Amino acid sequence: MNTYNFIPLDTKVHREISVQPDNSFAHAKNFNLVNIGFNELASLSGCLPIVVVNNEATDKQSLAGVVGFENFGNLFCSENQWQGHAVPLSVQTHPFNFAIDNNKVTVLIDDSSDRVQDNADKEYALFSSDGEPTHTLKHYQACLSNLIEGQQQAHTFITILKQHDLLSPLSVTLTLKDGQTVTSTDLLSINEEKFAKLDEAIIVRFHQQGIAMAINAMLLSLRQYNRLVQLTQHFDNPAEKVGIKLSQQ
């Protein structure tokens, strides 16, 4: 289990540190799901499955990308680089995060990360000699800004889906080479039959608002479960097939 120590980014405290790059995004190697924003749907849907995750404890839902399975970890993480053409913003922004209090955003940094170093490597330093943000820090700030905006949009998107009863339970069963099965639960996806039966006026509005595009992207992204199966082939007990079943209730 990953442990983090996120603290507010402070010019005085962190003026001499640098954040080294990691194209493999090793911090995410144990993840099976990652939060994604509405603004990432188009780019990520051709790379990995996109679902809605249901947290029964809080009765809240969030938009998520499936990057792995139990016993396999994150299948997009390799020794040298990310095994996909797109990387979720929530993965890209590490070791940074954010907190929002009274509509004020605070940038946080995980100072326990191996990528955070005290040597003030000029190439990857966060602050210049005059205390101004460097290109490196501005890049992470831009990613965080896009992440915040996308997650807020995702919340609105899910609210709309629930209002029109378009979410149904999704069951995903992975069959391994030795015959074992691994089933993913607490997932939701678009009920295509209910979507097709919506009133014409609602469909038109969905097209105008970009909701229809997002719905279609989510539906098409489920094909990427086959890509995840392919990415297990170097394991000792790889997956042989995946079964996807959407409840029509």
Side-chain angles (χ1 to χ4, degrees):
M1 183 176 180
N2 293 342
T3 57
Y4 305 104
N5 183 41
F6 285 109
I7 61 175
L9 182 67
D10 188 296
T11 306
K12 296 179 180 179
V13 176
H14 301 113
R15 189 162 179 167
E16 301 297 328
I17 70 170
S18 62
V19 173
Q20 301 298 309
D22 176 15
N23 293 329
S24 69
F25 301 100
H27 73 278
K29 66 181 180 180
N30 295 321
F31 295 173
N32 291 332
L33 295 163
V34 296
N35 287 334
I36 69 167
F38 181 83
N39 52 0
E40 299 178 83
L41 273 168
S43 61
L44 292 177
S45 60
C47 185
L48 47 85
I50 297 173
V51 298
V52 172
V53 178
N54 183 44
N55 187 325
E56 293 185 352
T58 62
D59 195 30
K60 291 183 179 180
Q61 292 78 34
S62 59
L63 206 57
V66 183
V67 294
F69 299 110
E70 183 182 346
N71 300 327
F72 290 105
N74 188 337
L75 294 166
F76 289 91
C77 283
S78 69
E79 186 175 345
N80 298 314
Q81 63 182 7
W82 184 264
Q83 299 296 301
H85 68 266
V87 184
L89 285 170
S90 60
V91 174
Q92 290 186 52
T93 52
H94 185 80
F96 295 91
N97 207 332
F98 65 90
I100 301 178
D101 186 23
N102 294 324
N103 294 320
K104 180 182 179 182
V105 177
T106 299
V107 176
L108 308 175
I109 185 170
D110 174 21
D111 66 355
S112 66
S113 170
D114 292 339
R115 292 172 58 193
V116 176
Q117 299 183 4
D118 293 327
N119 58 3
D121 184 331
K122 290 184 178 181
E123 185 176 2
Y124 303 112
L126 299 183
F127 298 99
S128 61
S129 58
D130 58 4
E132 292 299 311
T134 62
H135 173 77
T136 295
L137 180 54
K138 288 179 179 178
H139 166 73
Y140 284 110
Q141 288 174 328
C143 287
L144 284 171
S145 178
N146 289 333
L147 177 63
I148 294 169
E149 180 182 8
Q151 290 191 352
Q152 291 172 338
Q153 292 172 340
H155 174 74
T156 301
F157 175 55
I158 292 173
T159 299
I160 292 172
L161 296 179
K162 292 169 65 177
Q163 288 173 345
H164 294 278
D165 193 28
L166 293 178
L167 290 175
S168 291
L170 178 70
S171 176
V172 179
T173 300
L174 200 66
T175 302
L176 307 184
K177 185 177 181 179
D178 66 359
Q180 293 184 67
T181 59
V182 179
T183 301
S184 299
T185 58
D186 296 329
L187 304 179
L188 301 168
S189 189
I190 305 295
N191 189 313
E192 194 169 3
E193 290 187 7
K194 291 183 178 180
F195 176 51
K197 293 178 181 178
L198 290 176
D199 292 341
E200 183 178 348
I202 296 175
I203 294 293
V204 170
R205 186 169 75 248
F206 275 10
H207 277 286
Q208 293 172 337
Q209 297 174 338
I211 301 297
M213 177 281 295
I215 288 174
N216 287 323
M218 284 188 66
L219 289 170
L220 289 172
S221 77
L222 297 182
R223 298 177 181 178
Q224 300 304 322
Y225 270 110
N226 291 317
R227 172 170 168 73
L228 296 184
V229 169
Q230 294 172 355
L231 290 173
T232 70
Q233 297 312 300
H234 66 281
F235 285 83
D236 292 336
N237 188 23
E240 290 198 332
K241 63 179 180 179
V242 61
I244 302 173
K245 183 179 180 180
L246 184 70
S247 171
Q248 296 304 319
Q249 297 181 352

